[in-house]
Each structure stands twice: as structure tokens, then as C-alpha cells.
Amino acid sequence: MKMPSNNQQIFVGTILGIALGSFLNSSGLESPFAKTTLYFADLIGNGIFLNLLKMVIIPLIFASIAVGIANLRGHAQIKKVWTLTLFYFFITTSLAIILGLATVHTFQPGKGLNLAMFSQNVDQSHLQESFTLAEFGKKFINGLFLNPFAAMAQGQILPTIIFAIFLGIALVLVGDRRGKGILNLLNELLELIMMMVQWIMKILPLGLMALLTLLTAQQDHHLLFAMSKFITVVIAATLFHGVVVLPLILFCITKITPWHFFYSFKEALLTAFSTSSSSATLPISIECVENNLKVNKDVSRFVLPLGATINMDGTALYEAIAAIFVANLAGIELNLTQQLIVFFTAMIASVGAPGIPSAGMVTMMMVLEAVGLPISAVAILIPIDRLLDTFRTAVNVEGDAIGSCIVHHFTK
Ligand code: ASP
């Protein structure tokens, strides 16, 4: 019998995962069948699939950024790639925040609700005393320049990227002869890791199925219903950005059609959706962008790892919506200056959030604090975050891929 194609396997895995999870959700999680299924879903989804992705992330990021920068040296392109990438990140994140602000003002999901209604559900244990912009900035800067070995051993992505950027620049500056050995080594390391990524892709359908089973089985319907207006507004705005705004920018600039893009990038989108982690999705994103969207490796291996950590349109959009939502709950009207503060802090928050599940919830506190809103409100958002994080992570990852197509287009 012929093996089903990879696409068919992914399709079946996704449907089965959602169906099985929904069945367990409605029939209760206490039966022996449910417990065994969840045990195996956790083992396969988190224990194997997600851990395999995490296993390759750090060496992949390190080698790809250093090599990405070093390989740009021949092209008089290096400056162009940098500026285009950062310009694209800035513009799309700004658009996402503006969209978020416009949507939340139009639909006012906080209307009719108030903070006190949630007070008995508020679990204070998640909250730190305070999280001001100044403290956030200090923590952020303090986390940038670390011993690269320590950073890598602890899986800290941003300091790893910074060290890789320095190494890449040094390789450019020493010229062809002296850095050659290291550059060859890194190039070869990268190729070997990408080979491992292809192996991981083989179990992608199974991994997706397991993670989607867990995700759907563990949603709390009552809570989702109570917050349904807010959830709908967030998901609709996130989808609008991901399905209309970003693909339109891509099409206008590169003539790549949305269907071609989504078809080529579906594995990464599904992985982002089910893992809620841009970083964990990175190996799959690189694979899809290079093989299916034919982006030059020098570009993709620079733009994607950087974007996975600092370019998060979905997160920025969410933080803006959530801040205004919390203001509504607290009965506070934010003036124009405060909204501008929300705009900028949401941007900083999205840059500062690492690409891991619910990272945006932590940086959210800074946004609230900056405009004097109660940070305890984050506790209301935490229980529904697993669901919202799926969509915003998918859009975060999509934004990076579209960025790499655009930079590729301008630097071909
Ligand atoms: N989970 C998101 C990501 O990895 C970050 C966030 O919590 O917004 O992209």
C-alpha cells in the first residue's frame, strides 16, 4: 500500500487531534481511557516532538545567525538586509498594534464587565510586586550579554543571538582567509542540524496530533464562555492581521499569492499553533521558507531566528487589546497620551517577550504598569491564555516568514 503523502498525514493528524481532544473534553478527563490518552499525548507531543525541536534550536540559532551574517559579506547587501529587516519588523508591528487598538475601541469587549466580577478567581501567585518599564528595561539589558556557553546551556535565546551576531560581524571583518576554518565548521554544523530537522519533520503529523489533543481536551468551556466577547475580538483581530494585512503586504511587494504562501508554510503555522512557541517552531519555519518559498538561505537564516525573538505581531496586537480591555474593566478611560504609551510599551513588550508559551503575559504587566492599570488583571487573562497564545504565535511566526520573503525579494 502506498504511504499517504506528508500533506495527507498532516491533515489527518490535525483533524484526529482536535476530534480526540474534543471528545475527551466533553466526556470528562477522569476516565482511565482519558487518562491514558492524555498520558501518551503528553509523552509524544511534549516529551518527544517538542523536546526534539528544543534540542536543535540553540545550535541552529547560533550557527544560522553567525553564518547568515558572515555570508552576507560578499554581497554589498549586508546593510540592506539589516535595514530592510528592522524596517519591516517595525512597520508590521506598528500596524498590528494600531489594528488592535482600533478593534478594541470599536467592539469594546470590556463593556458590561468589571474587575470586581473576577476578584474571587484572581490567583495572585502569578504576580510580581511590580513590573515597571524601568525594571523591565534593566532586566532586558542585563539579559543581553551573557557568557555564550552559559546562555546556550540554559536555552537562553536572546544572548545566544547577540553572541552569534558579534561572531558573524567578526567573521566579516577578518576577511576571507583568517575566519575560514570557523566559518566552514559553522556551515557544516548548520547543514547537519538542518538534516536532523528533516528527520523531526517526519514525526510532525504525530506531534501535531498529540499536542492538539492535549490543547482541546484541556480547555475550560465555562471560562471561555464568560470571556467569549474578549476572546472573539482578540482572535478576529489576530486573524485579520494574519490573513489579510500580512498576506496583502506580501502580495503587493513580491506577487506571492496568499494561497501559495499558506500552502507552503502550513507545517510551520500548525506547529506554532500547537506549541505556542515561536522558538520551537523555528526549525520548521526555516525548512518551509527555504524549501517551499525558495528564500535565499543567507536571508532566511538571518531574518527568521532574529524575527522569532524580536518580531511578534500577534503578541503586540494582543497586548494592546488586553491593555484597553483591562482599562475598561477597571472603569478607567485612557487618554491619548496613555494610548501612545500603550502603543510603545506593547511594541517593547513584543520585542522583549521570548518565543515561549505565554511569554506575552509576563511582559503584559509592564504595559499595564506603564499606564497605571492594575497588574492583578493579568490573572484574569492567564487562564484563557493557552487558547489565545495559539493564534498569536502562529501570526508571530507568519510575520517572520513574510519578512524573509520580502527581504529576499529586495536583495535577490
Ligand atoms: N507564545 C508567543 C511566541 O512564542 C509569545 C507570547 O506569549 O506572546 O511567539
Side-chain angles (χ1 to χ4, degrees), residues 276-278 312 315 354-360 389 392-393 396:
S276 284
S277 168
S278 303
M312 298 191 176
T315 303
I356 55 175
S358 288
D389 203 2
R392 68 172 189 261
T393 307
N396 288 346

Side-chain angles (χ1 to χ4, degrees), residues 43-54:
L43 207 65
I44 297 171
N46 291 319
I48 299 179
F49 178 60
L50 193 59
N51 280 347
L52 277 172
L53 288 172
K54 287 185 184 161

